[in-house]
Amino acid sequence: MGLGAGGSLGSTDSCPMQDWEQRQEEDTLLIERILLLVRNVLHVPPDPAEEQGVDGDASVHDRVLWALHISGMDDLLKFLASAPAEQQWALHVLEIISLMFRDQSPEQLAAVGQGQGGAECREDTRELQSLRQREQAEQRARVLQRPSRHSRFRGSYVIQGLKAIGEHDVVFHKGLHNLRSYSHDLGKETHRVPRRRWAP
């Protein structure tokens, strides 16, 4: 996300952040006011009486963070924190990031990344391995049940010693079990002769 000349939030592709030399004083004040507004919204202390809900329900602070994420403000903050030309906003961005993680302890954040995820990863790995072994066993069983060669093997065969039209041997395109009924007329259309033309 970036702030354009009018100060509206837009994507960094369609409305890139202006260089600090091209920015007017109004644009700089607008960016600062937006960052201060975000900081002040995140700075509001939680109200336990109002936030009574079901365990695991998102708090007001979590919902605000989600709204910031949906609007793309987190991308804008990452841009402001990493761009060398935007160092004047570093303290505001640092305050906002620290307020984003205000309810989290470092131990909780470290545990989320490693402990629980590692146990789930190991369990998923074990489950995938068991599924893979079961699939391999089923494939082996299918291979053993399948006959090695089906009975209607077809191919092309050269019948040596039986001449076709010309000098070459006959090429037979049917199965070997039909070889005994082979004749040169195989595959030719038979013309019906009317009865009156039959020889007496």
Side-chain angles (χ1 to χ4, degrees):
M1 301 295 284
L3 291 175
S8 61
L9 283 171
S11 69
T12 52
D13 299 334
S14 62
C15 187
M17 197 75 155
Q18 293 178 342
D19 290 337
W20 64 272
E21 296 131 357
Q22 296 175 351
R23 262 189 226 136
Q24 298 177 2
E25 188 175 343
E26 295 170 0
D27 298 329
T28 304
L29 284 173
L30 184 63
I31 294 171
E32 185 175 12
R33 287 177 184 155
I34 290 173
L35 291 174
L36 289 175
L37 176 66
V38 171
R39 183 200 67 186
N40 291 341
V41 166
L42 290 173
H43 200 274
V44 174
D47 186 7
E50 199 171 303
E51 291 191 16
Q52 292 176 354
V54 183
D55 287 342
D57 196 17
S59 66
V60 174
H61 182 74
D62 292 338
R63 284 184 275 177
V64 168
L65 289 177
W66 183 249
L68 288 174
H69 172 68
I70 294 296
S71 69
M73 184 60 100
D74 56 345
D75 294 330
L76 177 64
L77 291 171
K78 285 189 275 187
F79 171 75
L80 289 174
S82 62
E86 307 299 335
Q87 288 183 353
Q88 63 186 10
W89 312 116
L91 288 177
H92 291 301
V93 173
L94 184 62
E95 276 184 300
I96 291 170
I97 291 173
S98 68
L99 288 170
M100 285 176 154
F101 293 111
R102 90 172 160 205
D103 294 337
Q104 310 296 327
S105 68
E107 293 82 16
Q108 284 177 324
L109 292 174
V112 167
Q114 296 174 353
Q116 192 177 20
E120 289 177 2
C121 183
R122 284 191 295 273
E123 183 179 331
D124 289 345
T125 304
R126 270 188 263 123
E127 187 177 336
L128 284 173
Q129 286 177 345
S130 67
L131 287 172
R132 186 166 182 252
Q133 289 172 353
R134 188 182 325 150
E135 185 179 337
Q136 287 176 342
E138 288 174 1
Q139 283 179 345
R140 275 188 244 118
R142 268 187 262 131
V143 166
L144 292 175
Q145 289 175 354
R146 196 181 306 148
S148 61
R149 185 174 279 237
H150 54 86
S151 61
R152 296 189 182 175
F153 180 73
R154 298 179 74 92
S156 297
Y157 305 97
V158 176
I159 304 175
Q160 293 180 347
L162 187 58
K163 296 293 181 190
I165 299 173
E167 302 175 7
H168 302 290
D169 292 332
V170 171
V171 178
F172 188 66
H173 295 287
K174 304 279 184 184
L176 287 176
H177 58 281
N178 292 332
L179 183 60
R180 290 192 179 140
S181 62
Y182 175 78
S183 75
H184 286 294
D185 296 330
L186 192 67
K188 293 181 183 177
E189 288 185 23
T190 56
H191 295 289
R192 290 188 64 201
V193 178
R195 245 185 215 195
R196 63 177 181 229
R197 291 193 183 166
W198 285 1

